[in-house]
Amino acid sequence: GSVAALVGPTAVGKTEVSIEVADRLGAEIVSLDSMQVYVGMDVGTAKPGTEVLRRVPHHLIDRFPPTHDLAVAEFQTLAREAIADIVARDRLPLLVGGSGLYFRAVVDDLEFPPRDEAVRTDLESEAEAIGAEALHVRLTEIDPLAASRIAPANARRTIRALEVIALTNRPFSENDAWDRYESRYRLRVAGLRRDRSELRSRIAARVQEMLDAGLQEEAERIVASGMGRTARQALGYRQVLDAEPGTTAPELAESITKATSRFARRQESWFKSDPRVTWFEADDPNLTSLLIAHLTPGSS
């Protein structure tokens, strides 16, 4: 089926325009946001409000309690199920979000190999006994290609490769889908960009809005009722929960803004290396019609 996607860094303006575009294309939105899946994490994730959710159907929002540790592989499965469901109803799935990893996990044939605590623990104690380099030599014997991509001193990555080989009986280096940008769907992708200083001031304004809307109270309320490792790492929440006692509101706003701006730069470089993305200026007055023209299935 045809799938459209709207990607780009946080606070660039994807959400607002995605509603217009989805409305005009008769599309349903699949959120590529690993934190909007959590119930109750609303203020800090800039989750679309009820009005918006009524206007355009959204998928993968409010699916789990914050205690649930969502793995990329699980997100991959859920998003693909949502896409299949939308396509089956002759609607267009519109993927919207800023997580490059989640985007690629959904549209490309990336595999997330299994994990096994027991296998890993064995390998870890072995690394301690014989040393990282000796373990790396063993990887070189089984899977020279994987070994050539890992520094001999990097025990953690060597262990991960050996763990996957033990669990799958296949070379760890086999999964080269990362290097091929070949989607499993008929995919059209639009990226939104803005001038860096403008993006930073938009991030600062959004952070201030979140704090005014009660981000601290929300974070403390969720932690009190239970918050998993994944949810606790969310931008904004993490800074609130890790803040030293006596941190002032401006200091907190600054630390969240800094972390978010760094994250936005990483998002930009991730999407810039994806040849499928066609870039649009987020402040273009004709943005909506340009996006509609680009994302309509079958358009050239």
Side-chain angles (χ1 to χ4, degrees), residues 104 108-111 174-182:
R104 293 213 54 196
D108 292 333
D109 283 314
L110 298 185
E111 289 173 32
E174 215 173 73
N175 188 11
D176 64 345
W178 288 100
D179 310 324
R180 300 193 310 270
Y181 289 89
E182 291 171 11

Side-chain angles (χ1 to χ4, degrees), residues 37-38 64-71 74 78 226-231:
V37 299
Y38 292 120
F64 296 107
T67 45
H68 179 78
D69 276 323
L70 182 71
E74 184 181 13
L78 293 169
M227 201 171 196
R229 254 207 329 260
T230 312

Side-chain angles (χ1 to χ4, degrees), residues 4 18 21-29 55-57 86 91-94:
S18 71
V21 170
D23 213 10
R24 296 265 294 279
L25 288 177
E28 298 186 14
I29 290 177
R55 193 172 146 197
V56 171
I86 297 166
R91 310 262 292 174
L92 176 68
L94 175 61

Side-chain angles (χ1 to χ4, degrees), residues 205-227:
R206 174 185 278 191
V207 167
Q208 194 51 57
E209 271 169 34
M210 288 175 174
L211 288 166
D212 294 343
L215 175 62
Q216 282 165 281
E217 297 75 7
E218 184 175 86
E220 279 149 19
R221 189 171 64 241
I222 295 171
V223 154
S225 59
M227 201 171 196

Side-chain angles (χ1 to χ4, degrees), residues 96-175:
V96 179
S99 167
L101 174 61
Y102 281 63
F103 169 67
R104 293 213 54 196
V106 174
V107 302
D108 292 333
D109 283 314
L110 298 185
E111 289 173 32
F112 296 91
R115 294 179 176 275
D116 185 304
E117 206 66 45
V119 173
R120 192 160 66 249
T121 310
D122 280 354
L123 288 163
E124 279 164 358
S125 46
E126 206 169 339
E128 274 166 36
I130 65 173
E133 278 83 359
L135 207 58
H136 189 270
V137 169
R138 177 179 328 151
L139 180 62
T140 309
E141 289 161 6
I142 318 175
D143 187 348
L145 183 55
S148 71
R149 296 173 180 168
I150 298 172
N154 192 334
R156 194 180 59 85
R157 288 194 56 204
T158 302
I159 287 169
R160 176 66 180 137
L162 288 167
E163 177 194 11
V164 171
I165 292 165
L167 294 171
T168 59
N169 291 320
R170 299 216 314 266
F172 182 64
S173 55
E174 215 173 73
N175 188 11

